[in-house]
Amino acid sequence: MTTISRIRFKPALAAVMAASTIVLAGCASRGGGNEDVAYVARDVETLYSAAKSRLDRGDTKMAAALFDEVERQHPYSPWARRAQLMSAFSYYVAQDYNQAISSAQRFLSIHPGNKDAPYAYYLIALSYYEQISDVQRDQKITEQARTALTEVTRRFPNTEYSADARLKLDLVEDHLAGKEMEIGRFYQNSGMWLAAQLRFQNVVETYQTTSHAPEALYRLTECSLALGLKEEAVKFAAVLGANYPGSEWYDKAYQLVNKHAPGVQAS
């Protein structure tokens, strides 16, 4: 996927503890492991601040590990709830999207009614969205992104997260339509007209607001003519002309039906 603008975490959750310089009490393991995440009992404020400091410096993987440590050492503290979501955010920024999804889902399973639940759902959706691949590859992640973004808009329709999710859904829909078009063109080029027609029909019916709809109508005109369904071809060309009168696809469809189905009326 092309670069997608990073999200900004809520100031209330991302706020740095008002504290002086913190000396970490961690000790390094003999195997050379990082001393910050070696298990050493630390008070919750010190541990959370250490994690936030790492995040501020861009050490996102270590920040996530330290936020996880907050929950592990202080599971019943109010800081643990904040740390769970901050851990998910840290993994997201580190582009460890699977772990970000897992952490956000864990937060929701424990705190489903929390005031920051909308953000957790949004973070899950973004983590899928960031992984969308090109149309030549399997679109499972794209489908998951669509499901997660739709969930944000359904659950939290009047939030800033929903507004952004709706914009991203338009791009996801266009991407899925593009995949259908690619498969349809492959079938068409292979002479598998009925299979191609089904794919193009799906674009027209399911993704009619995307940029691929005009071409899909043109391809349906082509497929109908190839199958000897001239009235159907004229119908698709007419729909194309009514909805996209100035498009190159209508011009091509108009020429096509005039050449191969002159005088035929739409069915």
Side-chain angles (χ1 to χ4, degrees), residues 10 16 42 106-107 142 155 181 191-192 195 230 237 245:
K10 283 188 172 182
V16 182
R42 284 172 275 186
R106 173 172 165 73
F107 173 85
T142 312
R155 286 177 177 269
M181 291 300 298
M192 302 167 67
K230 294 184 178 183

Short mmCIF file of all heavy atoms in Angstrom, two decimals, residues 10 16 42 106-107 142 155 181 191-192 195 230 237 245:
data_model
loop_
_atom_site.label_atom_id
_atom_site.label_comp_id
_atom_site.label_asym_id
_atom_site.label_seq_id
_atom_site.Cartn_x
_atom_site.Cartn_y
_atom_site.Cartn_z
N LYS A 10 -4.18 9.82 21.47
CA LYS A 10 -4.83 10.79 22.34
C LYS A 10 -3.84 11.35 23.36
O LYS A 10 -3.13 10.60 24.02
CB LYS A 10 -5.99 10.11 23.09
CG LYS A 10 -7.22 9.90 22.23
CD LYS A 10 -8.34 9.43 23.12
CE LYS A 10 -9.64 9.39 22.33
NZ LYS A 10 -10.76 8.98 23.18
N VAL A 16 3.16 12.26 29.02
CA VAL A 16 4.36 11.83 29.73
C VAL A 16 4.18 12.13 31.20
O VAL A 16 3.65 13.15 31.58
CB VAL A 16 5.60 12.60 29.21
CG1 VAL A 16 6.85 12.11 29.92
CG2 VAL A 16 5.73 12.42 27.73
N ARG A 42 9.50 -2.99 39.63
CA ARG A 42 9.58 -1.53 39.63
C ARG A 42 8.20 -0.95 39.92
O ARG A 42 7.19 -1.56 39.56
CB ARG A 42 10.08 -1.03 38.27
CG ARG A 42 11.57 -1.21 38.07
CD ARG A 42 11.99 -0.89 36.64
NE ARG A 42 11.82 -2.05 35.77
CZ ARG A 42 12.21 -2.08 34.51
NH1 ARG A 42 12.78 -1.03 33.96
NH2 ARG A 42 12.03 -3.16 33.78
N ARG A 106 -6.98 -7.60 22.75
CA ARG A 106 -6.88 -7.95 24.17
C ARG A 106 -7.46 -6.83 25.04
O ARG A 106 -8.19 -7.09 25.99
CB ARG A 106 -5.43 -8.23 24.55
CG ARG A 106 -5.20 -8.44 26.04
CD ARG A 106 -3.78 -8.89 26.34
NE ARG A 106 -3.47 -8.75 27.75
CZ ARG A 106 -3.96 -9.53 28.71
NH1 ARG A 106 -4.78 -10.50 28.40
NH2 ARG A 106 -3.63 -9.32 29.97
N PHE A 107 -7.12 -5.60 24.70
CA PHE A 107 -7.67 -4.46 25.44
C PHE A 107 -9.20 -4.48 25.40
O PHE A 107 -9.87 -4.30 26.42
CB PHE A 107 -7.15 -3.16 24.84
CG PHE A 107 -7.77 -1.92 25.42
CD1 PHE A 107 -7.28 -1.35 26.58
CD2 PHE A 107 -8.87 -1.32 24.81
CE1 PHE A 107 -7.87 -0.21 27.13
CE2 PHE A 107 -9.47 -0.19 25.34
CZ PHE A 107 -8.96 0.37 26.50
N THR A 142 -7.38 -7.22 2.59
CA THR A 142 -8.26 -6.13 2.17
C THR A 142 -9.67 -6.35 2.69
O THR A 142 -10.33 -5.41 3.16
CB THR A 142 -8.28 -6.02 0.64
OG1 THR A 142 -6.94 -6.03 0.15
CG2 THR A 142 -8.96 -4.74 0.20
N ARG A 155 -20.19 1.17 14.89
CA ARG A 155 -20.22 1.33 16.34
C ARG A 155 -20.11 2.77 16.79
O ARG A 155 -20.69 3.17 17.80
CB ARG A 155 -19.09 0.51 16.97
CG ARG A 155 -19.30 -0.99 16.98
CD ARG A 155 -18.08 -1.69 17.57
NE ARG A 155 -18.25 -3.12 17.67
CZ ARG A 155 -18.74 -3.76 18.74
NH1 ARG A 155 -19.11 -3.06 19.80
NH2 ARG A 155 -18.85 -5.07 18.74
N MET A 181 -11.94 -6.76 -11.35
CA MET A 181 -11.69 -6.40 -12.74
C MET A 181 -10.51 -7.17 -13.31
O MET A 181 -10.54 -7.65 -14.45
CB MET A 181 -11.44 -4.89 -12.87
CG MET A 181 -12.64 -4.02 -12.60
SD MET A 181 -14.03 -4.32 -13.73
CE MET A 181 -13.28 -3.90 -15.31
N GLY A 191 -11.15 -16.27 -23.14
CA GLY A 191 -12.35 -16.71 -23.84
C GLY A 191 -13.40 -17.31 -22.93
O GLY A 191 -14.35 -17.94 -23.40
N MET A 192 -13.26 -17.11 -21.61
CA MET A 192 -14.23 -17.64 -20.65
C MET A 192 -15.25 -16.54 -20.37
O MET A 192 -15.24 -15.88 -19.33
CB MET A 192 -13.50 -18.09 -19.38
CG MET A 192 -12.44 -19.15 -19.67
SD MET A 192 -11.32 -19.46 -18.28
CE MET A 192 -12.43 -20.20 -17.08
N ALA A 195 -17.71 -16.59 -17.17
CA ALA A 195 -16.97 -16.34 -15.92
C ALA A 195 -16.58 -14.87 -15.83
O ALA A 195 -16.67 -14.25 -14.76
CB ALA A 195 -15.73 -17.23 -15.86
N LYS A 230 -27.06 -9.60 -28.11
CA LYS A 230 -26.95 -8.23 -28.59
C LYS A 230 -27.85 -7.26 -27.82
O LYS A 230 -27.46 -6.12 -27.57
CB LYS A 230 -27.28 -8.19 -30.09
CG LYS A 230 -26.27 -8.94 -30.94
CD LYS A 230 -26.57 -8.79 -32.43
CE LYS A 230 -25.52 -9.51 -33.27
NZ LYS A 230 -25.75 -9.34 -34.73
N ALA A 237 -24.55 -0.83 -22.69
CA ALA A 237 -24.02 0.40 -23.29
C ALA A 237 -24.90 1.60 -22.94
O ALA A 237 -24.41 2.71 -22.69
CB ALA A 237 -23.92 0.24 -24.81
N PRO A 245 -21.70 9.60 -19.38
CA PRO A 245 -21.81 10.00 -20.79
C PRO A 245 -20.53 10.54 -21.40
O PRO A 245 -20.34 10.46 -22.61
CB PRO A 245 -22.91 11.08 -20.75
CG PRO A 245 -22.89 11.59 -19.35
CD PRO A 245 -22.55 10.42 -18.49
#
